[in-house]
Structure formats: C-alpha cells, structure tokens
Amino acid sequence: MEDELRCPTCKQLYANPVLLPCFHALCLGCALDIQTPYSPGSGLPVTVNGSERASSSAGHNGMHGNGGGSAGGGGATASGSNPGGPGTRHSSHSSAASTASSNTGSESVTSDQDQSDKVSIFSEADSGVVCCSNTSRPVSYAGTGLMPGVGNVVAPPGAAYCLTCPLCRKLVFFDDGGVRNLPTYRAMEAIVDRFCAREALRCQMCETDPKVASLICEQCEIRYCDACRELCHPARGPLAKHTLVKPRGAAQQRESVCGEHEETLSQYCLSCKAPACGLCIGEQRHQAHDVQSINVTCKAQKTELSHNLQQLSEKARSTTEFIQRLKGMSDKVTESCMEFERLVHAQCEALIQAIHDRREYLLEAIRMDKDTKIRILKDQQSNCTGKLQQTTGLIQFCIEALKETDSAAFLQVGSMLINRVTNTDMTWHQEVTNAAPRVSPIVDLTLDDAALARAIDNLNFIQMKAPMTPTILPSDCSAENNSVTVAWQPPNHSVVEGYVLELDDGSGGEFREVYCGKETICTVDGLHFNSMYNARVKAFNSAGEGEYSELIGLQTAEVAWFTFDPVLSGGAGSGLIFSKNNATVSVEGWEHRVALGSVGFSRGVHYWEFTIDNYTADTDPAFGVARIDVARNKMLGKDEKSFAMYIDRQRSWFQHNSVHERRVEGGITTGSTVGVLLDLERHTLSFLVNEMPQGSVAFRDLYGVFYPAVSINRGVTLTMHTAMDAPKMDYF
C-alpha cells in the first residue's frame, strides 16, 4: 500500500495532499513547485524528469521564479477561509512523512514517471484540459484561441496558472489562486496519518524487521517490543526506576468543514458531485440540484466500493491460488528436469559404452585381417622360396653337367636336362615372373561412420511419454435413435498414436472398448434405446496409455425411429420397391419377399404399425420380427429365424419355422392398420389389428437381436409408422 501513499513528484509520503481533477494527488508543496504561470501567447509547459518548464525559456525564467516566491511566501496566509488548510501544515507534516518514510526503509523509489496509473480517468474522448477556480461558478471549457503546441486545446478565459499531472499528463488551468484552489485530499491525509502512526509505533531496537512496540520508556524516550525490552531495558538496577507506558497513536480524527462558511459539511450535491454545508445548499447555484445527506451518499459509495472490493478480492484470492499452483509446478519442473538430466546422462553413457564396445569389435576385426594377410604372405613367400631353391639346384646341376668331357656321358642326360630347364623356365614364367602378392599390404576397409555421425547430429528429444488426457467436446457429441456420437480434442503437448473409446452397458455397468484408432470422432450404432450411456476416451503411444477423460453421458431415444432398409432387405435384386423415404414398400412378383427395418432391438419395449395402402389380391401379408440372417425369399415365419402373423381378409395365424397355429378371426382391407408390439423386457411378441389385440401373446421367450420385418407379394402396398408409444396390454 505504501506506493499508493507516495507523491509521484517528490517520492515521499503525501504532505498536505491535494486532489487534481483527474483524481490523482500531489503534495501541496509539489503542486506549487510544478505549477507554471500562464499568459495568452506563451508556451505551454512540458514535463521533463518529473518537473515542468515552459516551452519558452524566457517565459520560464521570468515567471516561474514568481510562482516559486508565491509558494514560499504565501505558505502561511493562503486560503484565509481555511486556517487549518494546506498552507498551515505542509512543513510539519512533510517532516513527519519523511520520518515515517525513513523508518520503513523505503527512501529509494524509482524515478520512472510512467508507472501504471492506478486511478486515471483519461480517455480518448478527453481533451486533456481541465479548469480550476476559486469562484463558485461551475467550471467551463469556454475560452479563447488555440493553445500553441496542443492542437485543439483551448485555454479558458482568466487562466493564470497551468499544471500538468505527472501521471496522466492532463493539463489543468487555474485562475489567480493557482493550485491552492485544489481541494484537500482528506481521505489520503487521514490514511497517511494512520500509516505514520502505525510506523511510529515500531520498536526502535530491532535490528531487522522492526516489530510493533509494546512499551515506551518516558525517561529514555525509546520504544521497545517485548523481546527488546527484556534484552535492552531490564527492570533491574537503575532502569527499574524508569516508567514504561503503552505508546499512544498519532492519528487524530478530523471533521471536514466548508471552506466558505466554516460550517460542517452535511450535504452532498449530486449534480456538482461536491460536499456542501447547509448555507451552501441555500445559495442559488444549488437550488435546482439534487441534494442528499453526505452520510447517506458516503454509505452508498462505501457499500459499492466494498462490493467491488469483494469481487476484486475473489480475483486476488484466485490469483494467489494460481500463483501457488505455479510455484508448485516450478518445484515439479525442477524435480522432473533433474530426473530427466540423470536419465539423459545415463542414456548418453550407454551410447558411449556401446561405441566403445563397437570400437573394440572393429579393432579386433582389423587385427584379425592383419594376421590373415601376414599368414597368406608368409605362405606365398615360402612357396616362392621353395621354387627358387629347386630352380637354383637345377641350374647348378646343369652347369656341372656342362663341364663333362665325356660326350657319351653328357648325351646320356643332355636331352633330359634340356627338357627340365625348358619346363622349369615355362613354369617359372607362370608361377614367379607373372605372380603377384596374394593380398594387398594396404588395408582396403573404410569405417562407415557417416550414418552414425548424422544420427548423433540429429540426436534430440521427442515427446514419448504417455500422452495427456484428451478433452471430450460436449458441443460436438450427440445421441440419435440408438446411436451416439462422441468427439474429443487431442491433448496438448503430447505425441498420440491412437485413441481408445469405451462405453458402459447403458445401465452403469462395466466399460468396454468400442473404438481404437486415430480419429477424434466416433459414432457407435446398435445401442439400446432409452438408455444412458457413459463414454470415456484415453490416448496412447509407444510409451504407454494416458489417463481417461472425464465421463460424458449420452441418452438414446426413448422410442425408435426407423424405416425399411433396402440393403438389409436384399438390395437391388430383391424385387422390392421402396418409396416415401423408405417408409413404404411394395413388390411386383407373386413370390413373397422379406423387407427388414433399419434398426435391431435387443432390449426395451418397442411398437410400430403398418398401414395397408393397397390390398387388392388374394394374398397373405405377414408381419413380425426376424433375425439379420432370415431367408428373404420366403414368407415371414417359414424359417426358424422369423416370428410372424400372416393375415387375409377374414382371419390370421401365428407362424414360426413353418408351423402356424392359433387361428384368430378378423382380417384386413385397404386402410387397415397392423401393430407389432415387441416387449423384450418380458421377451414377448404381440399383434394388434385396427388398434385392437389380435389374439393373446403370439410368441414368448424371445432373446437376441430382432429387426422389424414384413413379407409381401403382388397386390400389397404397406407404409410403416415408427417412433410410437407402446400401447398398454392387459394380458401377458
């Protein structure tokens, strides 16, 4: 709060605060210092480092000195109608405020004049110029020519001083009274006094964070808290004779009085938005104005402020909780990062060890290659050495044979030696002269490290933790008939490879998986009617599965709406003719063809009707239910997959698996209705003709999934009506 109590100009606690029209405050002394005399044609003041100077240097030097003299010389005599006004207490209160400021250790305050404006009322529509006067007439913007340097700003007539608010830069003009026309900011004055009183009650012996003083020594004139009194002023020895008393507060209750009549301000003019005394209300300027008791107005504004403060406090409390959450998250971030650092260090060490192991493997391969080459070279060297020794022996033997003088003896071996030398020369050319080293002395291998180097360069982090929780989008979820559609939003900052959607059984039972894939919307068909299904979804990736989302409940329709399904009925080759959005069916051939409904039932009570639009031939249409794999080219009820009632103009029979029984009188004509009641709670099937029961319960013990079905042939046209409430039957 202390920042609210400091003057934006001197940075000290307010001394004799005055209230500007923009609802910012200044010390009276500071306002006197920064007000600038104004005369038509002179430059307007500009603010430099928190102080004002006129745009014309001559005007500034000549006029500002006079204004300063007025501030200094008129301090005791200003506002003669208010002896206790700002002029009489500026210096003393300024000293007290400075002392309190020094006690709080807050002397150093930023010099930035553009701090956030806490109470500014400036808007784009505001001209930025207001007028103050010590006269009783209302303030007016009426004035003469344009002010230099301010565009459309018009100075009011009689303006003698001007001042720019250091916070909102709003320009204020005054008459000869200057800033002394400004009202005393009594609320700020009282708050500063209470603040100074509290600060004055601090212990003077605490080294840091002074505590509230509990006692003051009248002889030492020093305030002590309980701890410092025991330590610094024990009740023994010479100090035992000192008198310790409780400190007294410095703030005093003031009563606001009228500056003109010195009467208590008891009324508040709602038109002028100013307090007034009883004499002021009787004057002409307030005659047509709305006036209210000042206490009532004060109470109303305090109530409004308290309400607004309560709302602001709620926001502040929620912000405090949010900050605490952020602090907790900061601790979790630190802990998570430290754990992750250890993990990365261990992974890098494992990679380094793998490289070391691979290096040893490669070096061993090089050593093995070296040994192999040396062995091959030694073998080749040994072979060449043996060949050379044989050849050298042959040469020496031939030389000795050439020395033989006995011709017969030489001729005995001459031909043989010639052949041996010739053969040796030929083999020498093949085996020695054209021979090459079997291996290269150069290592002809290259370490292929490019891919590994690229992998190291690309080594980075990926989000492969278990994904966060997806968010179900209620606005995109829906339920229609016996189908539900669930849509969800992918989790932020997570790598998702797929989703798992789960539904319960519609009765609050266990969940089961109904979808697994990458899509973020899924429609589930074939559910029970009139059931509340809870759905949840979770995301997964290779690192694991995330948490389930919050549940969403989806209610299926109470009664079924459906039509004939041409595909389930056999497709284009069935011979059936569908019309009226698949609600009406007929057939051209004489053979019975089965038409199935578009939904199947496994639970609940369901009722639908058929209207006989055309019935001209002597045929027996059959109505009932069937399983999905019913024979579609036979009369309904001819196989074990269907349960039916077939009927003509006079009577009907119930039929299942080619067994028909229980003949019931009463038939159909064009315009008749046939109702089918499938009660899967009691597992029964009943029929109605023209809204009357056609016999008792036709079939019992029906379990499984059943589709509405009908079989017709030439001469019959039927229209099916669905989404109907089941009739109440009095027999079961």
Side-chain angles (χ1 to χ4, degrees), residues 521-534:
I521 186 170
C522 178
T523 298
V524 183
D525 298 318
L527 301 176
H528 299 301
F529 285 90
N530 195 23
S531 299
M532 173 64 73
Y533 284 90
N534 292 312

Side-chain angles (χ1 to χ4, degrees), residues 311-571:
Q311 295 180 342
L312 187 60
S313 298
E314 292 293 333
K315 296 179 180 179
R317 180 163 56 250
S318 62
T319 303
T320 302
E321 295 173 355
F322 179 67
I323 291 174
Q324 294 300 324
R325 273 204 319 272
L326 292 179
K327 290 181 179 179
M329 290 181 64
S330 299
D331 296 338
K332 290 182 179 180
V333 167
T334 301
E335 180 181 352
S336 176
C337 287
M338 292 178 62
E339 178 64 26
F340 192 51
E341 284 179 5
R342 289 193 292 268
L343 178 61
V344 171
H345 180 75
Q347 289 178 323
C348 290
E349 289 296 327
L351 291 175
I352 293 172
Q353 184 60 42
I355 291 177
H356 287 168
D357 295 342
R358 192 63 179 176
R359 180 187 62 183
E360 293 301 322
Y361 170 79
L362 295 175
L363 293 178
E364 181 63 24
I366 294 173
R367 287 191 288 267
M368 293 176 62
D369 184 64
K370 179 193 69 174
D371 295 341
T372 301
K373 287 186 175 182
I374 291 176
R375 184 174 64 254
I376 292 173
L377 290 174
K378 285 184 177 180
D379 291 343
Q380 189 175 12
Q381 179 184 354
S382 176
N383 293 336
C384 291
T385 301
K387 185 67 174 177
L388 179 60
Q389 290 177 351
Q390 292 178 1
T391 303
T392 302
L394 177 60
I395 292 173
Q396 291 178 350
F397 181 79
C398 290
I399 292 174
E400 293 298 327
L402 290 174
K403 295 179 181 179
E404 180 62 46
T405 56
D406 186 355
S407 299
F410 177 78
L411 291 174
Q412 185 180 10
V413 294
S415 298
M416 180 271 296
L417 292 176
I418 292 173
N419 292 332
R420 286 187 61 188
V421 170
T422 302
N423 292 334
T424 300
D425 180 61
M426 292 177 62
T427 57
W428 181 271
H429 178 75
Q430 296 174 354
E431 298 178 5
V432 179
T433 303
N434 295 331
R438 297 177 183 174
V439 293
S440 172
I442 306 300
V443 178
D444 53 359
L445 298 176
T446 300
L447 181 61
D448 184 14
D449 61 347
L452 180 59
R454 285 195 301 270
I456 293 176
D457 289 340
N458 295 329
L459 185 62
N460 208 332
F461 301 109
I462 58 174
Q463 183 75 34
M464 284 308 294
K465 294 182 180 179
M468 304 293 286
T469 303
T471 302
I472 291 182
L473 303 174
S475 60
D476 294 335
C477 298
S478 62
E480 182 178 354
N481 224 16
N482 64 335
S483 301
V484 297
T485 298
V486 184
W488 57 90
Q489 181 178 352
N492 295 326
H493 312 297
S494 296
V495 173
V496 177
E497 296 178 2
Y499 302 94
V500 174
L501 175 64
E502 296 182 356
L503 292 180
D504 65 3
D505 59 358
S507 301
E510 295 184 356
F511 283 86
R512 68 185 189 280
E513 180 180 320
V514 296
Y515 171 76
C516 180
K518 297 182 179 180
E519 300 296 330
T520 57
I521 186 170
C522 178
T523 298
V524 183
D525 298 318
L527 301 176
H528 299 301
F529 285 90
N530 195 23
S531 299
M532 173 64 73
Y533 284 90
N534 292 312
R536 65 185 184 183
V537 64
K538 63 181 177 181
F540 65 87
N541 57 24
S542 58
E545 295 181 345
E547 297 292 331
Y548 284 105
S549 66
E550 294 184 358
L551 297 179
I552 184 171
L554 297 169
Q555 173 74 43
T556 54
E558 293 185 7
V559 293
W561 178 91
F562 55 92
T563 61
F564 289 112
D565 192 321
V567 176
L568 292 180
S569 302

Side-chain angles (χ1 to χ4, degrees), residues 200-242:
L201 298 178
R202 299 286 180 181
C203 176
Q204 295 175 285
M205 303 304 293
C206 291
E207 295 182 357
T208 58
D209 191 16
K211 300 178 181 178
V212 177
S214 59
L215 295 170
I216 182 172
C217 178
E218 292 184 344
Q219 287 74 28
C220 302
E221 296 184 351
I222 296 177
R223 297 183 299 274
Y224 301 95
C225 63
D226 292 336
C228 292
R229 183 188 64 79
E230 293 292 338
L231 181 64
C232 304
H233 201 290
R236 58 181 179 271
L239 298 179
K241 298 180 180 180
H242 288 197

Side-chain angles (χ1 to χ4, degrees), residues 82-140:
N82 185 10
T88 62
R89 61 182 297 272
H90 178 270
S91 59
S92 61
H93 187 68
S94 177
S95 175
S98 300
T99 302
S101 176
S102 62
N103 288 340
T104 59
S106 303
E107 296 89 342
S108 177
V109 183
T110 176
S111 62
D112 185 6
Q113 294 296 318
D114 294 323
Q115 288 181 335
S116 60
D117 186 356
K118 301 179 180 62
V119 291
S120 175
I121 58 170
F122 183 77
S123 67
E124 293 180 359
D126 201 336
S127 66
V129 180
V130 293
C131 311
C132 288
S133 173
N134 58 2
T135 64
S136 60
R137 68 179 183 275
V139 174
S140 173

